[in-house]
Structures are given as structure tokens and as C-alpha cells.
Amino acid sequence: MMNHCLLRCAVFVALLFFGFAHAADPSTTVDIRKVAAADHGSRLAPGWQNGAFMEIFVRAWRDSDGDGQGDLRGLTQSLDYLQELGIKGIWLMPVTRNADGDHGYAVTDFRSIDPAYGTLADFDKLLREAHKRGIGVIMDYVINHGSDKNPLFQSAVASPASPYRDWFVWKDPAPTGWDIWGKNPWYGSPTGTYYATFGADMPDFNLENPRVMDYHRDSLRFWLNRGLDGFRFDAVSHLIEKDAVEWRDQPGSYALVGNIKALMDSYSNRYAVCESTGKPQTWAPPYICGSAFAFDLNGDIVNAARGDPKAIRSVADYYKSAPITMAAFIANHDSFTGGRLWDQLQGDVAQYRLAAATYLLLPGTPYLYYGEELGMAEGVGPEGDTTAAKDARVRPPMSWTAELGKAGFTGGKPFRPLSKNVATHNVAAERKDPNSIFAFYKDMLRLRNTLPSIARGSYEAAFAEGQVMGYQRKLGKEHTAVLINYGLAAITAEVAGLPAGAKLVSAYPAGGGKADSDSAGIARIALEPQSVRVFTLRR
């Protein structure tokens, strides 16, 4: 039995090596040509990136051709929905050609559209139609790694003599002592040991090789020249690894992203946001990335909605020191961020609204995760506690209708089970209900879109007292005040730091009554349990 196993393994390795040894020239299968800059301007208003974004997993958004998978045409057909909601930007999870056939982060060609999603012509039409509605579009760009099926890596692993060998990271003998999330990131092949932060199927690029960075810059220009409005840069913490200890957020990684940001700044009105789970605030300065996801805030937002005074204070204090350009969110496509908000809050609608108001009215750029505006729950399956299973459950098809088995998502069979609460929490039902979660999100986004101080203003006089939080926003002559009572009891809040004798006019809720500040600049405002109040100030 043992000899039989060894023989099978030997045959496998021999076949693997034979395949590698005959890898095709990558230049015949992927575009690696130089790309010159061609900025055609921007059709978006300055400051568009301070409006709310929707993160969209295209495969799960809307299917236009009945094959059970979402596509770019389905997204284009539903832009009016996003405009109605008040969305100003779309973040597309990877839409480039990939090997994984699902999330898309195992990229095989950085300059082509995944055929399951459509064509470059479909992509160009999406940009045109989104821009007509004042909506910007950014896409995921994976600088750190490619797929092991990427022709560039296929050439590199075929032979140490490949001209693309040094496009990836190799070490022989295999290094020891490495541990990234409980795994050794070094993987063996018939021709050597390569480095892959996220698993053997996604080898890391050697970003200290100028040719590799030139290729990425050319690929970025490829999309920017088409009119793309920016990028979400994946896994920037991991671009450069020094050793087994210093492998995250290294100086070289910041320098690389800063160089790329300079390229983007040469185009009109473009926007970049970076993913760094370890030290997110260090990536937000304008000379590095400009914006970064607030992974150090999302958990506090959810706990604040539950009424936790410590979390409420953390939220109130966050922008006292954090860059005002941070990208706030509650949850996203990665289950480690907490899962869908509906499941985190166990369907408590009052807490759900408080969480939404908390981050949609703060500075920076808020990111909704598709379906969040409906209270969409996680998918029915698959079962299990593996990362893959948990991630799949937070990425179900979008709930457009209550249609049995299809949810208005497709005319065929959905590629994945639907959301658990699709029968009640879907677009068709919530559009008709003035008290729905969808209606509440529209109200919050209307405030952001009509009050420039909320979208782009300063953050001042923030306080947290027990279960009440408040702050003020200013831009030019516009002055607003936001108050949130996370508690179950009514309370009268004292709001200080206001102009003396100011009149506070209710912007939300409509007809919510007025208040005045006294000669010391203090207003006393009654707050209902679990409520949100927004005021504009007049002298």
C-alpha cells in the first residue's frame, strides 16, 4: 500500500513538473504591455467620495441572463435603485478574470473582465450609466498577489530560468519559524519554495522588483484611462515582508502605496481606499492612501447600538484623533468583521437603526454592504465553521423580491442559497413600507447628501454621557448637531459648545420640534428612547 502511494505521488509530481516546464509565454495569454496615462477628466462632482458607498459582490447582486450568477449588466440595470437610496459610490469586489470562480481575489489577468460577469464593453457601459446618475465606481485591485493559475506565475514556477521568476518571492531552502494566522506561508513546488500570505493558490508578487510595480502601475492606468473613479486596494499591510517577525505594515509597503496614490492623483477627481486590518489609521494620510477602512471602529458601532456605554464613548472619541478621511463600515464580505448586521443584532430593528445612524452621520466615507439597507440576513448555508463556509453565508444573492427560490435575483437557479429572511426583507416589500429599514437608510443618506456639513464638515464638541452621544459638524456657514440616545429610557441631554442664543431646527425627524441654546451656549434637548435627532443651527 505504501509503495503504491509513493508511486502515485511520484507520478503526480512528474506530471506537475512536466506541465510547469511547458508553461506558455505569458505575453501570449495576458496583457503585460506598457500603458500611457490618458486622463479624460471626471463627470463627478468634487467631494463625491464623501457620500455613501455600496459594496457590491457582483456575483450576488443581480443576474441579467438567467445563469444563476450576477453580472455587470444586472448591476447596470439596477443603478436607479442605488440612486433612489442615495448612494454616491459603488465598490465592486473583484471583477477581473480569476481562478477561484467566486470571490475573485485569485486574479489570473489584471486587465480583463471575468467572463461570468460580462465584457469590457459591459464595464464601460456601467461606468457611463453610473456617472449619469452622479455615482462613482471603484474596483478592487489586488496588488499583493495573483493566482497560481496566473500565466505569470505559471511561467515562474515552471523554471528558475523563467524571465518572470523574480516576479514572485522564492527562498531555498524553505524558511522556518514563520506563522501567519496559524499557517506557514511558504509552499513547496517542484522548482522551489514560494511565499503566499493567503494560501498556496495565491502566491505573493515580489513588489521590490521594479518590473512588477511597473506592471501594476500600467494595469492601474488601464482602468483609470477607461474612466474608473478609483480603487479599493486589498491587503496593503502585506505588500512587503521583512522577516518572520516583521511581516506586516512595513515601511516599504507604505512607500509603495504612496507611489501608487501619486499616480492616481495625476488623474482628475479619483479616490483610493486601503484595506489594513492591523493599523488602519496609519494608511489614511493623503500622501499614503488617502482613506482606509476603520476596522478599529466597526465593532464599537455595533456595541454602541446595543447600549454599551464604553463603546458609545469610543465611537464619540474616534474622530477626535483618527483621520477624518477614514472609511466607516459595520460589516463586509469577510465574516471576520462580524457577519451581517441583522444576525449580529439578532433582528433587533431599533438597534439596527441606531447602528446605521451612528456611522452614516459620522465624518469620512461610509460603506454599506449590499442588502444591509434592507436588514438582509445571512444565507441559509453552507453549514460549518470554516472560514469559507462563514464567508459564503454572508455573501448570499441580493433579496429583490419574495419570489420563492429566486428572490428576483435570477430567472434560473441561484448560485448560492438565499438570505434567511428573504420573504420579509426584500426590496419590493420595503420600498412600499414608510417605516422599513430601507426607508430609514434613505432618510440618513438624504441628510448626508443635502447637508454638506454632514458629508464633509469638521467634527467638534463630541461627548458621551451614559448612553447618549452627541457631536457637531461645521462647513462654511452650515452648522449641524447630531444626538443619539442608545438607551431604553427617555432623557434630556445637555448640549454644550453651541453659539449663544442659537435656534436648533429639526432636520431629523421632520417636524421634530425646535430648541434654543442659552447665553452660555447650552441647549437642553429631550430624546426619546433609542432615537436619533439631527438639528441645523440658525442665529
Side-chain angles (χ1 to χ4, degrees):
M1 178 67 73
M2 179 63 72
N3 289 338
H4 180 62
C5 178
L6 290 173
L7 178 61
R8 284 193 301 166
C9 292
V11 170
F12 172 76
V13 170
L15 289 172
L16 192 64
F17 183 80
F18 181 82
F20 286 154
H22 290 78
D25 178 359
S27 65
T28 65
T29 52
V30 294
D31 184 0
I32 56 175
R33 293 172 296 178
K34 299 294 295 180
V35 177
D39 181 16
H40 303 295
S42 171
R43 296 187 60 183
L44 301 175
W48 68 273
Q49 68 272 18
N50 295 116
F53 275 63
M54 177 80 79
E55 178 193 356
I56 292 180
F57 180 29
V58 175
R59 196 178 305 279
W61 179 255
R62 197 162 206 169
D63 173 22
S64 71
D65 57 13
D67 67 355
Q69 300 187 78
D71 46 50
L72 292 173
R73 290 186 180 184
L75 175 53
T76 301
Q77 292 165 4
S78 52
L79 288 173
D80 286 343
Y81 167 74
L82 296 174
Q83 185 179 30
E84 174 191 350
L85 179 60
I87 294 298
K88 294 298 182 181
I90 298 169
W91 158 25
L92 303 175
M93 285 176 62
V95 293
T96 43
R97 192 181 294 264
N98 64 83
D100 61 75
D102 185 29
H103 54 70
Y105 288 96
V107 180
T108 56
D109 186 349
F110 285 82
R111 302 182 195 175
S112 69
I113 296 294
D114 182 344
Y117 290 158
T119 65
L120 279 171
D122 294 329
F123 180 83
D124 292 341
K125 184 175 181 180
L126 169 64
L127 293 183
R128 290 194 303 271
E129 293 300 320
H131 292 163
K132 288 179 184 178
R133 294 163 175 80
I135 298 173
V137 181
I138 69 172
M139 64 185 281
D140 247 306
Y141 192 92
V142 189
I143 310 174
N144 182 70
H145 55 267
S147 165
D148 63 341
K149 304 300 189 296
N150 188 311
L152 297 168
F153 182 74
Q154 289 282 295
S155 174
V157 76
S159 168
S162 165
Y164 301 97
R165 182 73 169 190
D166 63 353
W167 281 44
F168 299 87
V169 182
W170 302 88
K171 292 284 186 182
D172 283 303
T176 59
W178 285 72
D179 184 337
I180 296 181
W181 307 306
K183 296 181 180 179
N184 181 357
W186 293 94
Y187 296 88
S189 79
T191 67
T193 302
Y194 64 93
Y195 182 84
T197 302
F198 295 97
D201 60 333
M202 291 186 281
D204 279 36
F205 282 108
N206 174 15
L207 298 174
E208 295 181 291
N209 181 344
R211 293 174 61 213
V212 176
M213 285 307 301
D214 285 345
Y215 167 69
H216 278 306
R217 280 188 286 265
D218 286 326
S219 297
L220 295 171
R221 280 189 284 263
F222 175 86
W223 297 106
L224 292 170
N225 289 354
R226 304 188 85 88
L228 185 70
D229 301 294
F231 297 96
R232 178 263 192 185
F233 290 114
D234 182 67
V236 295
S237 297
H238 309 290
L239 304 183
I240 301 291
E241 292 82 19
K242 183 179 179 182
D243 54 41
V245 176
E246 299 182 75
W247 52 267
R248 192 174 192 171
D249 297 300
Q250 294 302 296
S253 297
Y254 291 102
L256 287 179
V257 173
N259 182 279
I260 288 172
K261 180 62 163 48
L263 181 156
M264 292 187 60
D265 288 343
S266 68
Y267 286 77
S268 305
N269 208 14
R270 300 307 204 267
Y271 166 72
V273 59
C274 282
E275 181 209 30
S276 169
T277 58
K279 298 179 179 179
Q281 294 185 36
T282 63
W283 291 89
Y287 55 87
I288 299 177
C289 192
S291 182
F293 288 102
F295 286 96
D296 50 353
L297 178 63
N298 65 304
D300 283 330
I301 293 172
V302 175
N303 286 328
R306 295 181 176 124
D308 179 353
K310 183 178 178 181
I312 294 168
R313 177 162 293 281
S314 293
V315 174
D317 289 344
Y318 186 80
Y319 281 103
K320 291 180 180 178
S321 58
I324 206 166
T325 56
M326 295 299 290
F329 70 101
I330 293 176
N332 66 16
H333 62 283
D334 285 320
S335 57
F336 75 78
T337 63
R340 286 196 167 268
L341 183 60
W342 182 263
D343 299 284
Q344 290 190 63
L345 296 177
Q346 299 179 317
D348 188 313
V349 174
Q351 292 181 356
Y352 200 107
R353 294 183 182 195
L354 292 172
T358 300
Y359 87 105
L360 293 178
L361 300 176
L362 282 172
T365 301
Y367 278 77
L368 288 67
Y369 184 40
Y370 77 96
E372 177 194 314
E373 76 283 7
L374 306 173
M376 201 170 102
E378 68 176 21
V380 174
E383 300 299 326
D385 291 327
T386 65
T387 298
K390 290 188 288 187
D391 285 351
R393 290 197 293 270
V394 301
R395 305 172 190 173
M398 178 68 172
S399 299
W400 292 99
T401 71
E403 180 186 11
L404 185 64
K406 297 183 179 182
F409 162 74
T410 181
K413 180 181 179 180
F415 75 102
R416 180 170 288 160
L418 303 175
S419 166
K420 292 177 180 178
N421 63 1
V422 62
T424 53
H425 291 70
N426 59 74
V427 174
E430 295 206 25
R431 266 177 162 167
K432 299 175 183 177
D433 181 0
N435 297 311
S436 67
I437 292 174
F438 175 77
F440 183 79
Y441 270 73
K442 281 183 67 174
D443 285 340
M444 293 300 103
L445 294 181
R446 186 179 300 111
L447 290 171
R448 192 170 193 93
N449 293 336
T450 58
L451 296 173
S453 59
I454 296 292
R456 307 191 303 277
S458 61
Y459 183 73
E460 302 179 17
F463 72 92
E465 294 290 343
Q467 293 179 300
V468 174
M469 179 180 80
Y471 53 86
Q472 297 171 44
R473 309 290 306 277
K474 297 178 184 178
L475 185 67
K477 295 182 179 180
E478 186 177 276
H479 188 168
T480 52
V482 176
L483 293 167
I484 302 178
N485 179 11
Y486 298 95
L488 298 176
I491 192 169
T492 297
E494 283 197 357
V495 182
L498 299 166
K503 295 186 179 300
L504 282 69
V505 180
S506 182
Y508 182 85
K514 300 178 182 180
D516 297 326
S517 64
D518 62 19
S519 59
I522 297 173
R524 292 164 181 82
I525 299 173
L527 300 174
E528 294 297 317
Q530 295 182 303
S531 65
V532 180
R533 298 293 309 273
V534 179
F535 296 92
T536 57
L537 273 67
R538 297 176 186 172
R539 300 285 181 111

